[in-house]
Amino acid sequence: MSLEIKICGLSTPETLDAALGAGADMVGMVFFTPSPRHVDLATATAAALAARARGRAQIVALTVDADDATLAAIVDAARPDMLQLHGKESPERVAAVRARFGLPVMKAIGIATAADLARLSAYADVADRLLLDAKPPKGALLPGGNGVPFDWNLLAGLDLTRPFMLSGGLDPDNVGEAVRRVRPPGIDVSSGVERAPGIKDPARIAAFLRAARAADATESEHSTGDKPAHTSSARETSPS
Ligand SMILES: O=C(O)c1ccccc1N[C@@H]1O[C@H](COP(=O)(O)O)[C@@H](O)[C@H]1O
């Protein structure tokens, strides 16, 4: 299976088209008011962007500790293919959201030290995917989208039972190395393909996808068939 690439924080038709045209597998909309990428539900933008992307890429709605009413409004307006929970949602809350909305759920987990990996297994039992992101820097206003990487060495030998996406500080210059070193099933980027906070750059989006696909192709070509521990067969199963 080839690398899945998500471009997150898309909020205009032009930049959405850039991601779709360059071959993104997933496109993300942020529903979190403090974010410069926030898509306002009070306008028709979310529905219009989703209609533009539908059938061309998976539509992911990113929320942060959203309550059921907010999630229902987002699902109603955008009809996403997946919900990304990027706050402090507990495993129980992830399971409840998944059951209530009948959509696959990707849970973001902040990683800074090896101790943070201990939290993964509880979420792997209830989420369809895990998004391994850097923990926000001290004083940051956002729980993600900060353009900060974490130490990828922490993931060496990780044995995950779910597909995961690597994120945090990826950009067109470092994504090749990330793909070669971590060999993640998927990657996700937001600020690394922007020219200013919240302003996506079509040229950087295209460059990111090119660099990631090239590294993935090289890896597949040189692969010995040995898979990293995190690609064990159990990861293809769904939470019960
Ligand atoms: O992008 C945002 O504004 C955002 C806001 C709140 C939570 C998460 C957010 N983005 C996610 O964070 C990761 C990492 O972002 P970056 O590439 O380091 O800028 C990104 O993959 C988004 O899914």
Side-chain angles (χ1 to χ4, degrees):
M1 167 117 179
S2 67
L3 181 72
E4 281 195 300
I5 305 181
K6 171 169 170 267
I7 307 291
C8 197
L10 294 159
S11 57
T12 67
E14 296 73 25
T15 54
L16 175 65
D17 285 352
L20 295 170
D25 302 290
M26 297 184 183
V27 289
M29 280 187 275
V30 173
F31 297 95
F32 184 55
T33 42
S35 170
R37 301 147 193 127
H38 173 63
V39 176
D40 192 350
L41 269 188
T43 67
T45 310
L49 291 175
R52 214 171 174 98
R54 201 167 314 286
R56 299 181 66 193
Q58 287 193 69
I59 300 159
V60 181
L62 185 159
T63 63
V64 178
D65 297 314
D67 59 22
D68 281 354
T70 305
L71 287 170
I74 291 166
V75 168
D76 198 37
R79 294 198 291 116
D81 299 301
M82 182 178 293
L83 294 171
Q84 177 175 332
L85 306 185
H86 215 112
K88 293 194 164 78
E89 299 88 359
S90 66
E92 293 73 24
R93 176 66 182 150
V94 172
V97 167
R98 189 173 181 274
R100 176 163 182 144
F101 294 97
L103 287 169
V105 170
M106 174 153 70
K107 175 67 184 114
I109 316 279
I111 309 286
T113 67
D116 296 317
L117 302 177
R119 300 172 61 224
L120 294 179
S121 65
Y123 286 101
D125 288 344
V126 291
D128 297 271
R129 276 163 207 261
L130 301 176
L131 178 72
L132 309 187
D133 190 12
K135 272 199 172 154
K138 215 166 185 251
L141 296 178
L142 304 176
N146 293 304
V148 180
F150 66 94
D151 179 3
W152 303 327
N153 291 322
L154 293 171
L155 304 183
L158 185 66
D159 188 8
L160 276 182
T161 57
R162 287 286 169 261
F164 75 90
M165 300 195 106
L166 177 69
S167 75
L170 297 177
D171 62 32
D173 296 324
N174 67 12
V175 68
E177 189 191 346
V179 168
R180 282 188 293 274
R181 277 180 48 192
V182 181
R183 293 171 65 189
I187 52 174
D188 185 12
V189 64
S190 189
S191 45
V193 292
E194 293 178 342
R195 62 171 71 104
I199 313 293
K200 290 283 184 292
D201 181 338
R204 286 183 71 76
I205 291 174
F208 184 86
L209 276 137
R210 259 197 320 272
R213 295 278 182 231
D216 186 42
T218 312
E219 271 313 294
S220 308
E221 215 172 277
H222 295 154
S223 167
T224 57
D226 291 344
K227 292 184 170 182
H230 57 67
T231 59
S232 66
S233 58
R235 76 181 180 80
E236 301 302 343
T237 59
S238 294
S240 47

